[in-house]
Amino acid sequence: MSSTEISEQRKRPMKTRASTAYREPGQVILGRTLPSLMDEASQFHPSDRAFNRWTGHRWESLSIEQFRSRSEELAVGMQGLDLAKGDRVCLFMHSDLYFAVADMGCLIGGLVDVPIYLTHTPETIRYVLEHAQARALIVSDLELLERLSGALGRLPQLKTIMVAETPENGLPSWSLLEEKGIDLVAMREVTLRGRKALEQNPNAAEELKSEIHAHDLATIVYTSGTTGNPKGVMLSHQNFSFDALASFSGTDGLDKGDDNVAISFLPLTHVFARMMHYGYLSYGVPVYFTTPELLAEHLRSVRPTTFATVPRVLEKFYDKIRQKGEEQRGLRRGVFNWGLRLARRYQLGERRQRISGLSRRLSDRLVFSKWREALGGRLRFVICGGAALRPDLANFFAAAGIPILQGYGLTETSPVITFNRPTFNRAGTVGLPLAGVEVRVAEDGEILTRGPHVMKGYYRNPQGTREAIDEQGWLHTGDIGCFTKEGLLQVTDRKKSLFKLSTGKYVTPQPLEHRLNESLLVDQAVIVGRGQRFAAALIFPDSEELQRLAREFGLSPESPEQLVEEPQIQEHFQELVEAANLGLEPWSTIKRFRVIPAPLTVESGLLTPTLKVMRSKVEAAFADQIQTMYQE
């Protein structure tokens, strides 16, 4: 499709029902296995710092060739562990270089790896191990192995546990594993066996790769799920390779190899981070593995050109920028507020901005450049997925010269379905479909998609597969959305999140929650009211901001529970609620609220590992507080 044809198609009105958006340019490459991406990168993108791991005081680098050798040695070594092609190997690992090697070793050996979130409860971990019928398990270190003790119940299929990082004096004996007949072995020992086997047969790794096919199952990713047991999403080599190659080739600037440097801090257990990992590998982009706790520090030292994130991280950066500005005094405070006002006026993608050229240059020099430096100073763009990003944040960062490319997808779609491009980006949208991907909106507003990115199905759950994918091959995403006139997709809410009041009116929670979350004082907001007369809100405050507000009001109660009941605090939250209600139909506004000084966390089971609110569990956990709002 020529650039002229694309331009003309963008001008055409897009139907908002049962319509297929046009395909954005990008490579549609089928028939590739994931090890073949590594082999090609080794040949065409050799790099001495392809993978970089933080050791606590310095970066330890691994070349692409070293990575390839270690992965092949592990793959060959695992053949001696009584593992056959298609056997499942669970990974309970930190998201670092060891995970990457373990993953690629499994893929080369034709084994199906099953990553497990480190934040899962012992009950969920045991469920995944049992349901996946895991034959082997790889853990990062002895600390994580100890955490598994409560999950290692009756697992007759599990025969081997490998430990990636082991002490110099070797692995200790563990009676619990000995009783269950589970062998405990160091991953380096398995790798050494593979190295010796390759010395005897140099073609051993290539022979394993020759037995892998693009449609073979590569991984089973158990969705974090907001209700019930997680489902095992079966993704093939082609699912991932197609999605990664189409995403990177369709993003001008991301496919530049050594010209880019990426930081990776999202859990590789999550399909979004995994897809980005394979894309970086294929295009020769050096990757620095870090953690959310070290992200701010490593952004300044590594100075990446790109990274992938979830909206919550950008919200935290935005909050810190605002907090730092509010700490300024005098002229500096005035300059900061001026820059903030200009950033809020910016509209991503509009040719005519409400900011003069002079104001833009001055604000960039005095304010925006400092915001960029906090993120390393070299970012070309940030790729955001996993949840909806507030439009004001997309505009804010773009004004500062940090474009956010928001995308949309599911674990079931490997994951990318649509995303904004550097040259065609709009706040409040999730962009255009991937090349080779079909997207349409059904009559009831549900987003459907079809193409090589769609999963093979749910593991050992044929009924769930039939419910998700119809006879025509359309995956029903469970999300509600529409197309803009330019053909960009907008996701308005989860189908299951919409609820009907007893009056028969429907309430869409997400816009209200986003408006409340714009306040520094609000950490999370959850709109409730299914089957009730009106909508209400549970508001979970940011503890630091709550204390700051208390000091501002001269309050010093003994506990947060007392603090949120103070009349001045309640009045402040009432103003936030009234601001969120502005412009909405009366029946869809928040009529009552409760401020709950208890954070929603992954550890409490109220957030998914990707920081999505588990609505049903939140409503169950705070059922008493919800009930009181409808009894008054």
Side-chain angles (χ1 to χ4, degrees):
M1 185 179 289
S2 69
S3 58
T4 303
E5 291 172 319
I6 293 170
S7 177
E8 288 303 310
Q9 196 151 5
R10 284 178 180 159
K11 296 175 183 177
R12 298 171 195 161
M14 180 66 67
K15 295 180 180 179
T16 57
R17 292 290 183 270
S19 178
T20 302
Y22 84 89
R23 300 186 180 106
E24 179 74 359
Q27 292 180 298
V28 179
I29 300 176
L30 304 177
R32 298 295 300 274
T33 67
L34 294 170
S36 74
L37 302 187
M38 175 189 66
D39 291 340
E40 189 174 89
S42 180
Q43 180 180 358
F44 295 106
H45 303 291
S47 172
D48 291 335
R49 56 189 183 97
F51 298 98
N52 303 272
R53 172 177 173 266
W54 182 247
T55 63
H57 58 278
R58 67 181 182 87
W59 290 102
E60 179 185 278
S61 298
L62 203 68
S63 71
I64 182 64
E65 194 56 45
Q66 289 172 317
F67 174 77
R68 179 184 180 184
S69 295
R70 288 193 190 181
S71 301
E72 290 177 345
E73 290 165 358
L74 179 62
V76 174
M78 285 194 290
Q79 300 305 299
L81 298 177
D82 193 27
L83 293 171
K85 182 180 179 180
D87 281 346
R88 273 73 60 204
V89 178
C90 285
L91 307 181
F92 192 64
M93 307 183 73
H94 297 296
S95 298
D96 59 11
L97 181 57
Y98 286 106
F99 185 109
V101 171
D103 171 52
M104 187 56 70
C106 288
L107 296 171
I108 292 170
L111 304 171
V112 178
D113 61 36
V114 184
I116 300 175
Y117 281 105
L118 300 184
T119 51
H120 273 335
T121 63
E123 293 75 20
T124 302
I125 294 171
R126 186 185 304 115
Y127 173 81
V128 172
L129 288 167
E130 289 177 345
H131 191 265
Q133 301 169 312
R135 295 275 297 173
L137 168 67
I138 306 177
V139 299
S140 288
D141 49 40
L142 292 178
E143 182 181 345
L144 289 188
L145 180 61
E146 184 65 33
R147 281 171 54 184
L148 281 173
S149 58
L152 298 176
R154 186 175 176 273
L155 299 168
Q157 303 237 10
L158 186 62
K159 298 301 180 185
T160 305
I161 295 180
M162 282 178 276
V163 183
E165 292 185 84
T166 54
E168 292 182 3
N169 57 356
L171 291 171
S173 59
W174 197 7
S175 58
L176 174 64
L177 299 182
E178 293 171 358
E179 293 169 3
K180 297 178 180 299
I182 299 174
D183 292 329
L184 186 63
V185 60
M187 195 166 87
R188 65 169 173 250
E189 290 182 19
V190 179
T191 301
L192 182 58
R193 294 175 199 168
R195 186 179 305 161
K196 291 179 178 178
L198 281 165
E199 289 172 358
Q200 298 297 318
N201 178 13
N203 295 321
E206 295 306 317
E207 291 169 2
L208 288 174
K209 293 176 191 176
S210 68
E211 297 177 5
I212 310 168
H213 304 287
H215 290 286
D216 285 348
L217 185 58
T219 190
I220 301 174
V221 181
Y222 280 80
T223 59
S224 50
T226 54
T227 57
N229 286 324
K231 295 177 182 177
V233 177
M234 298 189 292
L235 298 175
S236 68
H237 285 259
Q238 179 168 282
N239 284 147
F240 263 133
S241 61
F242 160 77
D243 209 76
L245 295 174
S247 297
F248 274 63
S249 65
T251 309
D252 185 33
L254 192 56
D255 56 349
K256 301 303 181 186
D258 272 343
D259 287 344
N260 280 307
V261 174
I263 266 190
S264 177
F265 67 92
L266 295 178
L268 288 169
T269 315
H270 189 238
V271 68
F272 178 33
R274 284 276 288 287
M275 184 280 296
M276 292 300 298
H277 166 68
Y278 297 134
Y280 294 145
L281 171 65
S282 179
Y283 279 87
V285 178
V287 178
Y288 288 75
F289 292 107
T290 187
T291 65
E293 294 76 20
L294 293 172
L295 178 61
E297 175 187 341
H298 286 161
L299 281 171
R300 292 189 294 271
S301 60
V302 174
R303 303 184 69 235
T305 59
T306 187
F307 66 86
T309 186
V310 292
R312 194 67 184 141
V313 173
L314 294 176
E315 289 169 7
K316 290 295 185 182
F317 272 116
Y318 174 68
D319 290 346
K320 287 181 179 178
I321 288 172
R322 288 177 58 186
Q323 287 170 348
K324 192 169 183 179
E326 290 177 0
E327 293 170 0
Q328 303 292 330
R329 294 292 180 267
L331 180 61
R332 289 186 177 182
R333 175 71 177 269
V335 170
F336 174 85
N337 287 337
W338 172 67
L340 194 62
R341 287 194 300 272
L342 289 178
R344 286 172 173 166
R345 289 165 54 187
Y346 189 83
Q347 293 295 315
L348 183 60
E350 288 191 6
R351 290 185 178 181
R352 290 189 176 183
Q353 296 291 341
R354 291 174 289 175
I355 307 174
S356 69
L358 178 60
S359 294
R360 181 62 189 269
R361 289 191 295 274
L362 282 173
S363 60
D364 190 79
R365 181 176 179 180
L366 298 175
V367 184
F368 299 159
S369 61
K370 294 179 174 61
W371 298 352
R372 290 196 299 272
E373 281 302 316
L375 294 173
R378 290 201 304 167
L379 281 174
R380 294 172 181 168
F381 42 73
V382 176
I383 300 165
C384 184
L389 176 69
R390 286 165 26 201
D392 65 302
L393 291 189
N395 286 324
F396 174 86
F397 282 105
I402 308 168
I404 309 295
L405 305 183
Q406 187 178 7
Y408 164 67
L410 313 172
T411 302
E412 289 85 345
T413 57
S414 315
V416 183
I417 299 173
T418 66
F419 69 100
N420 279 296
R421 279 37 170 206
T423 55
F424 193 38
N425 191 2
R426 300 290 186 272
T429 78
V430 290
L432 299 159
L434 231 59
V437 165
E438 294 179 88
V439 181
R440 63 184 296 229
V441 177
E443 292 298 328
D444 64 354
E446 184 176 12
I447 299 167
L448 312 181
T449 187
R450 184 169 63 181
H453 60 318
V454 174
M455 66 173 178
K456 294 171 73 71
Y458 293 117
Y459 184 61
R460 299 176 61 193
N461 188 354
Q463 181 179 346
T465 302
R466 287 192 296 271
E467 291 172 354
I469 305 174
D470 63 28
E471 294 179 354
Q472 287 76 43
W474 290 101
L475 175 77
H476 293 242
T477 66
D479 290 310
I480 300 295
C482 61
F483 287 108
T484 68
K485 291 181 179 180
E486 294 177 296
L488 297 158
L489 185 65
Q490 289 181 315
V491 181
T492 55
D493 217 319
R494 285 292 293 170
K495 196 172 182 179
K496 291 180 180 178
S497 297
L498 300 175
F499 61 82
K500 185 190 288 187
L501 300 172
S502 61
T503 60
K505 297 287 189 179
Y506 280 93
V507 172
T508 304
Q510 194 176 88
L512 280 166
E513 291 167 351
H514 278 183
R515 290 184 178 190
L516 288 171
N517 286 337
E518 288 179 10
S519 169
L520 290 174
L521 189 58
V522 178
D523 185 55
Q524 294 282 0
V526 179
I527 307 301
V528 299
R530 189 181 301 274
Q532 301 288 352
R533 307 184 311 278
F534 54 81
L538 298 176
I539 300 176
F540 301 87
D542 180 278
S543 58
E544 292 183 5
E545 276 299 302
L546 184 62
Q547 292 297 327
R548 186 196 62 78
L549 186 63
R551 291 192 297 271
E552 185 178 311
F553 289 147
L555 302 173
S556 56
E558 295 180 0
S559 68
E561 288 77 15
Q562 292 176 317
L563 180 57
V564 297
E565 295 301 327
E566 290 285 341
Q568 292 158 289
I569 299 293
Q570 283 285 313
E571 183 179 346
H572 194 83
F573 278 102
Q574 181 64 51
E575 292 173 359
L576 294 179
V577 169
E578 290 173 359
N581 284 336
L582 282 176
L584 298 178
E585 295 290 343
W587 50 263
S588 67
T589 57
I590 301 166
K591 298 297 191 294
R592 291 176 186 160
F593 65 91
R594 286 288 180 273
V595 181
I596 302 174
L600 301 185
T601 64
V602 175
E603 292 72 22
S604 68
L606 301 180
L607 293 181
T608 71
T610 53
L611 306 181
K612 296 189 184 81
V613 173
M614 302 186 77
R615 290 180 181 275
S616 60
K617 291 188 177 182
V618 169
E619 291 180 14
F622 301 100
D624 291 342
Q625 291 90 330
I626 293 172
Q627 192 60 32
T628 61
M629 290 190 285
Y630 294 102
Q631 289 176 341
E632 295 177 353

